[in-house]
Amino acid sequence: MYWHQEKECINRDDLKQLQLERLQATLFRVATHVPFYRQKFKELRVDPDGFRSLDELRALPFTTKQDLRDNYPYGLFAVPLRDVVRVHSSSGTTGQATVVGYTGNDIKTWASLTARVLTAAGVTKDDVVQIAFGYGLFTGGFGLHYGAELVGASVIPISSGNTRRQLQIMQDFRTTALVCTPSYALLLADTIEEMGLSLNAFSLKYGLFGAEPWSEAMRQEIQKKLNIIATDNYGLSEVMGPGVAGECQQRQGLHVNEDHFLFEIIDPQTLEPVPPGEMGELVITTLTKEAFPVIRYRTRDLTRLIEEPCPCGRTLRRIERITGRTDDMLIVKGVNVYPSQIENIIFEIEGTRPHYQIVVEREDRIDKISVLVEVVESIFFDEMRKQREIIETIKQKLASELGIGVEVRLVEEKSLERSEGKAKRIIDRRRL
Ligand code: DLL
C-alpha cells in the first residue's frame, strides 16, 4: 500500500528532474531571503541562478548545527514570521536549543510525508493509532499526529509518559498501532509482562518506532513481545521532524522521501562523498521547505545508501538504519568506539537484556570504559558460573571488535534507568 504511489514509485529520471527544479527554487529562495546563505554563496562564488545539474551539489556550502545556533532564534528563516504558523525546537541536550519554523504549506507537506511513512508501515484508516511521543516543542508527537489524521486513522494523542495509563488505554481503546521510541516500546512490553497482562487483551498490529538508534536484535525482541510488525522511521527537527525516511513492511532499510530531500553521504573528515554504498555521515538538503530550508545540513548521523531496488515496488532509495552519530563516537585510549558496536555484541549473547549503559571515566589520566548490562533474573540471582561466562564472552568479543579492554558488569533486570523518550546510553564522566 502506498500513500502517493506516483511519487513513491516514480521513474528515477523523472525524479532527478523534479529534484533539480526544486533545488533551483530552494537556492533562489535562500539566496533571496536568508542573509547567511547569501553570504556563503558569495564567499564560495556560487551562482544560485547558474545551477544546472545535481552534480554541482558539491559546490554548495554545508550547514551545521552551529550555524543554526549562531542564527538563533529566527536568523535562518526564509519567510517573515507572520507567514510562520508553527515553531518547534530541538531539545538542546547537547548545547543551546535550535528553533525551526513551518508555513501552512510546510505543515501540509509534513503531514503528507508522515502519512507516507505510516502507510508504508501498514497503517490505514481502519487503525487506532496511539501516539506516545511527546507533544510540544519536540517534533515527534505533532509530526506523526497530523499524518495519522490525514491517513484517516483514529488518533489517540496520549503523548509520552505514564506507562500504566498507556497500557490501560491501549487495551480499552483497542489501539492497533503504537508510535513511540523503540526503548519506550520495550518498556511498555516489559511492563505488560510485569503486570501479568495477557497479549490477548491487546489489539496491537503495528509499531512505528524512531527518534533514536536501535538494533535488529531489539526489533526482534519488540516484535516478539508485542506480537507486531515493528518498523523504523527517521527524521530530525532541523530538516522537518519525522517523515524524512521510513521503512516499508519489508523492514530492509528506510525509504527516503527523495522528492522532498536530497541525501548525500560524506566522509566526516574529508567532507568528500564516500564511494556508493559506503558508510558515512548523512547530509540533507531540503527541496520543498518554505520557512526553514536547509542546504547540505550535516546531520552527524551515520548510515549508508542502499541502491538496490526494494521488493515493495517503491523506487525511492533506502538508507540503512542509523548506526550512530559522529558525536556519539567515544574516543577511548585513542580508539574510536561507537555504542552500536557494543550493543550488537551484547545483544547476541543469551541471557542478556537489551538494556545497557556505557560509562567512561578517567582515572590517573587513563580512560576506563565500563559496560553495564542487564541480565535475566535467573542468571543474576542464581548462576554465578553463567555470570562469569557471560562477562568473559562479552569482554573477549569487545576486545577483538574494539581492540581495547572493557570492564563488564552485569546488573539486575530493570536496574538501569528507563526512558519514556530517547534512551541515554552513554555516561561520560570525563568531562565532569
Ligand atoms: O527525533 C524526529 C523524530 C521524531 C524522528 C519521531 C522519528 C520519530 P530530533 O529530536 O531533532 O528529531 O532528533 C534527531 O535523532 O539526528 C538522529 O540522531 C536521531 N534519530 C531520529 N530518528 C532515528 C532513527 C527527532 N530512526 C536525531 N534511528 C537524529 C536512529 C534516529 N536515530
Side-chain angles (χ1 to χ4, degrees), residues 166-397:
Q166 297 269 0
L167 293 175
Q168 189 67 52
I169 284 186
M170 201 180 284
Q171 291 178 75
D172 296 349
F173 295 8
R174 297 195 289 276
T175 301
T176 57
L178 172 65
V179 176
C180 59
T181 56
S183 55
Y184 194 52
L186 206 51
L187 176 59
L188 287 164
D190 287 345
T191 313
I192 291 178
E193 257 178 29
E194 204 179 294
M195 291 171 71
L197 302 173
S198 155
L199 263 193
N200 294 333
F202 293 85
S203 316
L204 278 184
K205 290 195 289 189
Y206 308 114
L208 285 93
F209 306 124
E212 65 180 8
W214 52 314
S215 59
E216 189 53 37
M218 193 154 157
R219 186 210 310 264
Q220 296 303 336
E221 172 139 5
I222 296 173
Q223 293 196 142
K224 197 166 100 215
K225 286 197 155 159
L226 292 176
N227 193 19
I228 54 172
I229 295 179
T231 48
D232 188 5
N233 71 92
Y234 168 81
L236 62 168
S237 15
E238 292 84 349
V239 163
M240 190 169 75
V244 176
E247 278 184 333
C248 61
Q249 292 199 351
Q250 300 286 329
R251 287 158 282 171
Q252 299 286 339
L254 297 82
H255 289 280
V256 176
N257 285 320
E258 290 182 280
D259 48 337
H260 295 267
F261 308 102
L262 271 182
F263 272 38
E264 296 169 85
I265 309 283
I266 63 161
D267 175 330
Q269 255 83 50
T270 64
L271 306 185
E272 294 297 320
V274 298
E278 278 193 19
M279 182 75 83
E281 179 182 341
L282 174 62
V283 170
I284 307 178
T285 301
T286 63
L287 296 175
T288 51
K289 290 272 295 291
E290 292 182 345
F292 198 84
V294 285
I295 307 296
R296 302 190 86 197
Y297 183 71
R298 291 190 58 185
T299 65
R300 306 266 168 199
D301 292 322
L302 295 165
T303 184
R304 60 183 200 88
L305 270 169
I306 304 172
E307 304 283 345
E308 297 80 45
C310 179
C312 76
R314 286 177 182 77
T315 52
L316 300 177
R317 282 184 305 176
R318 291 166 291 165
I319 50 166
E320 200 169 81
R321 67 155 46 80
I322 305 284
T323 38
R325 293 177 52 81
T326 54
D327 44 12
D328 252 6
M329 186 182 79
L330 290 162
I331 304 184
V332 182
K333 296 179 191 158
V335 176
N336 300 349
V337 179
Y338 288 103
S340 60
Q341 291 175 297
I342 297 181
E343 175 170 327
N344 286 338
I345 287 171
I346 296 171
F347 286 7
E348 274 173 15
I349 292 162
E350 210 179 320
T352 61
R353 303 277 297 108
H355 299 286
Y356 69 97
Q357 221 160 42
I358 301 167
V359 183
V360 194
E361 288 158 308
R362 183 162 286 176
E363 273 171 20
D364 298 329
R365 281 185 276 157
I366 293 179
D367 292 339
K368 200 180 109 199
I369 177 164
S370 329
V371 182
L372 279 55
V373 190
E374 288 189 10
V375 282
V376 296
E377 229 165 82
S378 57
I379 293 179
F380 188 78
F381 287 111
D382 303 326
E383 297 192 51
M384 290 303 283
R385 218 189 59 212
K386 182 83 187 150
Q387 281 188 31
R388 276 199 300 272
E389 231 176 78
I390 293 181
I391 292 179
E392 272 320 303
T393 318
I394 298 178
K395 273 188 170 175
Q396 272 169 19
K397 291 200 169 182

Side-chain angles (χ1 to χ4, degrees), residues 123-175:
V123 173
T124 68
K125 67 199 304 276
D126 295 323
D127 282 295
V128 178
V129 181
Q130 182 160 339
I131 300 189
F133 273 127
Y135 281 67
L137 287 176
F138 176 56
T139 52
F142 281 104
L144 284 142
H145 178 107
Y146 277 62
E149 278 190 0
L150 190 62
V151 168
S154 315
V155 183
I156 309 172
I158 188 165
S159 196
S160 59
N162 206 337
T163 303
R164 285 178 179 242
R165 184 155 161 266
Q166 297 269 0
L167 293 175
Q168 189 67 52
I169 284 186
M170 201 180 284
Q171 291 178 75
D172 296 349
F173 295 8
R174 297 195 289 276
T175 301

Side-chain angles (χ1 to χ4, degrees), residues 57-120:
L57 198 61
R58 285 174 62 184
L60 296 173
F62 289 107
T63 309
T64 62
K65 185 112 181 160
Q66 190 57 43
D67 295 326
L68 268 60
R69 292 197 177 121
D70 294 345
N71 289 281
Y72 178 85
Y74 300 136
L76 294 183
F77 282 23
V79 297
L81 211 49
R82 61 192 306 256
D83 293 337
V84 169
V85 301
R86 177 97 66 80
V87 167
H88 280 284
S89 172
S90 80
S91 55
T93 41
T94 55
Q96 192 194 333
T98 51
V99 182
V100 295
Y102 304 77
T103 62
N105 275 337
D106 287 335
I107 296 284
K108 280 191 202 140
T109 309
W110 191 13
S112 75
L113 296 185
T114 52
R116 272 191 201 175
V117 167
L118 285 148
T119 307

